[in-house]
Amino acid sequence: MSQIGFWDILTNLIFATGWTVLLSIISFIGGGILGLILLFARIGKRKWLQHVVKVYTEVFQGTPLLMQLFLAFFGLGLMGINVSPFLAASVALILWTAAFLVEIWRGCVTAIPKGQWEASASLGMTYVEQMRHIILPQALKLSVPPTVGFSVQVVKGTALTSIIGFVEVTKAGTVLANATFQPFTVYGLVALIYFALCYPLSLSARKLERKLNAAH
Amino acid sequence: MPLIDIDALHKSYGETEVLKGIDLHIKKGEVIALIGKSGSGKSTLLRCINGLEQINGGAISVDGQQLINDEMHLRNLRQKVGMIFQQFNLFPHKTAGENVMLAQQVVKKTSKSDAEAMARKMLDRVGLGDKFDNYPDQLSGGQQQRVAIARALAMEPIALLCDEVTSALDPELVGEVLEVVRELASEGMTLIMVTHEMAFARDVCSRLVFMHQGRIHEMGAPEEVFTNPQTPELRSFIGMSH
């Protein structure tokens, strides 16, 4: 078995990293779109819609991502719907990401001072006009750093999908560690790959925060 | 016919009644100062007039139109009654010029070029013609408040509500804002202002309204009210503020 050398390990891991990146992008974009839709329900005027979204976020934030992955994979299977690990992982991660993004963004909207609402209302703007011209442009600026920061959590969250058999970089690492009996080398490399993915993200979150704090 | 009619107005926050039956009739061109201790309900009264606070009883009508709490009625009302706030509340992501242009374009559907022309005219009027492209955080408090006045004026309101417009300003900046308000008064704009600037109120107002514990306690021409207060509460209030 020891014919598998260091470079074999590395190339295999890098190939699997492609899946980690793809899954991260799908989760983040899908979760972002769903999160935006949920945001409008959450900050809109319909009480029952607000409530539905509130329950949604509490369920997804209050249960482990791992359970959500199990439910998406095995649960749908039990119902006779055959889902691939990739599909189950994508669905679970999109739902999970949306639950966090909607709360991050809601926080940004509520952070806009009451005076902005009152001033725009006093000029005769309707709720939708206030949102579009006054509140959301300012909230958007506030939301960029925490949103980029959260993308780090999404990348790390994809590691859990290895448990339902999706071969991303962590799963590839497990397979390679079993084959080579070099768990330290393999998982060390896996960790370095995650760091290489996440560090630029958190760095840019910090940079964006500084840049957006400066005027305009 | 009065421009603004307030009849038996009641307003409560939960159990606390802050306005206990206000009757006030304001004619076109009148300049009214609402004075009184904090908590007397004067700011709340002002905010009821343009629907920022929902009333619990009584009626308000502006220019013959009843205040009704739905979006389209409020939109019409608020185009007639502008408001200026203690904290200016300029939109920080827009330049001074854009602040003045925005509601014209969005609410009145004015074309961009007309809105810009109006914005330049109004900024000129408050002495800030050269600040069109400055963002609010590049302006002093007094300048920001004057932009806020220009922003309200650009909607061509028939009355302006001023909620302690100089209270957040450094003392040396108060004068420039009061000067603009004084000019508006002399041009015949109907003004209702909550103020702690007693000397200014005495000088500029046509009527002083002294509020106490959610009621209008005393009102009249400023000279009369200042020189011959009828109630001990007003006497002590005037004594305090001198």
Side-chain angles (χ1 to χ4, degrees), chain A residues 199-215:
Chain A
Y199 185 64
L201 288 174
S202 44
L203 203 65
S204 57
R206 228 175 306 152
K207 273 206 178 132
L208 282 167
E209 191 165 0
R210 231 173 301 145
K211 202 172 143 198
L212 293 172
N213 269 341

Side-chain angles (χ1 to χ4, degrees), chain A residues 45-200:
Chain A
K45 286 195 161 167
R46 289 208 178 82
K47 280 264 149 47
W48 67 272
L49 265 179
Q50 288 179 14
H51 198 72
V52 168
V53 178
K54 216 170 141 190
V55 171
Y56 173 89
T57 53
E58 263 158 31
V59 166
F60 278 88
Q61 293 194 2
T63 55
L65 175 57
L66 190 58
M67 294 306 126
Q68 295 163 23
L69 285 163
F70 280 155
L71 288 173
F73 187 58
F74 300 115
L76 289 174
L78 276 180
M79 281 189 277
I81 310 164
N82 213 345
V83 285
S84 67
F86 180 67
L87 183 64
S90 301
V91 169
L93 275 167
I94 284 172
L95 296 177
W96 176 81
T97 304
F100 280 89
L101 285 180
V102 72
E103 278 305 297
I104 291 173
W105 292 341
R106 188 183 68 88
C108 297
V109 169
T110 49
I112 305 301
K114 206 169 140 235
Q116 295 289 308
W117 286 99
E118 293 185 343
S120 48
S122 295
L123 289 163
M125 287 189 209
T126 59
Y127 178 78
V128 174
E129 291 164 355
Q130 289 177 293
M131 272 292 169
R132 176 160 181 263
H133 297 286
I134 308 301
I135 306 302
L136 290 180
Q138 294 183 61
L140 183 71
K141 210 166 136 180
L142 289 178
S143 71
V144 172
T147 304
V148 175
F150 181 71
S151 66
V152 171
Q153 302 299 322
V154 177
V155 173
K156 292 190 289 180
T158 60
L160 288 174
T161 64
S162 60
I163 306 243
I164 58 169
F166 179 63
V167 186
E168 36 64 74
V169 69
T170 303
K171 180 73 179 173
T174 309
V175 173
L176 287 164
N178 287 338
T180 59
F181 304 110
Q182 295 178 38
F184 187 78
T185 313
V186 173
Y187 286 124
L189 284 171
V190 170
L192 281 174
I193 287 171
Y194 276 115
F195 187 75
L197 291 176
C198 293
Y199 185 64

Side-chain angles (χ1 to χ4, degrees), chain B residues 33-36 42 164-175 177-178 181-182 193-205 208 226 237 241-242:
Chain B
L34 299 173
I35 59 171
K42 47 196 199 308
E164 299 194 31
V165 293
T166 57
S167 299
L169 294 174
D170 291 337
E172 75 270 21
L173 301 177
V174 169
V177 172
L178 291 185
V181 177
R182 186 193 303 271
M193 50 190 170
V194 170
T195 185
H196 294 295
E197 300 284 337
M198 287 306 149
F200 180 74
R202 188 171 182 165
D203 197 22
V204 170
C205 291
L208 255 150
F226 272 109
F237 179 75
S241 63
H242 273 282

Side-chain angles (χ1 to χ4, degrees), chain B residues 13-45:
Chain B
Y13 293 111
E15 295 290 294
T16 329
E17 196 174 31
V18 283
L19 296 177
K20 303 169 184 168
I22 303 282
D23 293 289
L24 186 60
H25 306 280
I26 299 163
K27 289 197 283 291
K28 192 171 175 352
E30 265 198 291
V31 179
I32 307 271
L34 299 173
I35 59 171
K37 282 190 279 193
S38 49
S40 60
K42 47 196 199 308
S43 274
T44 308
L45 172 58

Side-chain angles (χ1 to χ4, degrees), chain B:
Chain B
M1 196 186 74
L3 189 68
I4 298 175
D5 266 313
I6 301 167
D7 293 296
L9 173 63
H10 285 261
K11 167 72 190 171
S12 311
Y13 293 111
E15 295 290 294
T16 329
E17 196 174 31
V18 283
L19 296 177
K20 303 169 184 168
I22 303 282
D23 293 289
L24 186 60
H25 306 280
I26 299 163
K27 289 197 283 291
K28 192 171 175 352
E30 265 198 291
V31 179
I32 307 271
L34 299 173
I35 59 171
K37 282 190 279 193
S38 49
S40 60
K42 47 196 199 308
S43 274
T44 308
L45 172 58
L46 202 67
R47 293 161 59 85
C48 286
I49 296 175
N50 78 341
L52 279 183
E53 301 288 348
Q54 281 194 31
I55 64 178
N56 301 104
I60 299 176
S61 79
V62 176
D63 200 20
Q65 223 179 26
Q66 201 76 23
L67 188 153
I68 301 169
N69 228 308
D70 70 56
E71 210 162 48
M72 278 347 274
H73 279 95
L74 282 178
R75 189 180 176 90
N76 285 331
L77 169 78
R78 286 167 176 166
Q79 287 181 58
K80 291 184 192 165
V81 183
M83 185 153 187
I84 304 155
F85 300 86
Q86 184 177 353
Q87 298 296 341
F88 332 134
N89 296 344
L90 290 183
F91 308 133
H93 59 305
K94 302 214 170 273
T95 64
E98 288 165 350
N99 263 278
V100 184
M101 286 166 69
L102 182 68
Q104 297 182 64
Q105 292 174 271
V106 171
V107 179
K108 291 180 118 183
K109 315 290 181 210
T110 311
S111 73
K112 192 175 175 211
S113 56
D114 289 351
E116 189 180 331
M118 174 65 102
R120 293 202 183 274
K121 195 172 123 195
M122 288 306 149
L123 284 175
D124 265 339
R125 189 167 166 188
V126 298
L128 294 171
D130 56 332
K131 301 291 183 197
F132 192 92
D133 293 316
N134 286 72
Y135 282 91
D137 62 5
Q138 298 165 326
L139 301 173
S140 73
Q143 290 171 333
Q144 287 189 51
Q145 191 61 294
R146 286 188 281 154
V147 173
I149 294 173
R151 180 173 70 176
L153 289 177
M155 300 300 281
E156 302 181 294
I158 55 176
L160 271 186
L161 310 173
C162 305
D163 192 3
E164 299 194 31
V165 293
T166 57
S167 299
L169 294 174
D170 291 337
E172 75 270 21
L173 301 177
V174 169
E176 61 187 70
V177 172
L178 291 185
E179 211 36 60
V180 173
V181 177
R182 186 193 303 271
E183 231 163 84
L184 289 176
S186 71
E187 287 164 15
M189 174 64 82
T190 309
L191 291 171
I192 306 159
M193 50 190 170
V194 170
T195 185
H196 294 295
E197 300 284 337
M198 287 306 149
F200 180 74
R202 188 171 182 165
D203 197 22
V204 170
C205 291
S206 46
R207 191 149 48 125
L208 255 150
V209 175
F210 172 64
M211 292 190 60
H212 184 66
Q213 295 181 348
R215 289 196 174 84
I216 293 180
H217 209 63
E218 209 176 319
M219 71 178 158
E223 275 317 306
E224 191 184 305
V225 169
F226 272 109
T227 49
N228 190 17
Q230 300 297 307
T231 57
E233 288 80 11
L234 180 55
R235 258 197 295 281
S236 90
F237 179 75
I238 292 172
M240 254 165 37
S241 63
H242 273 282

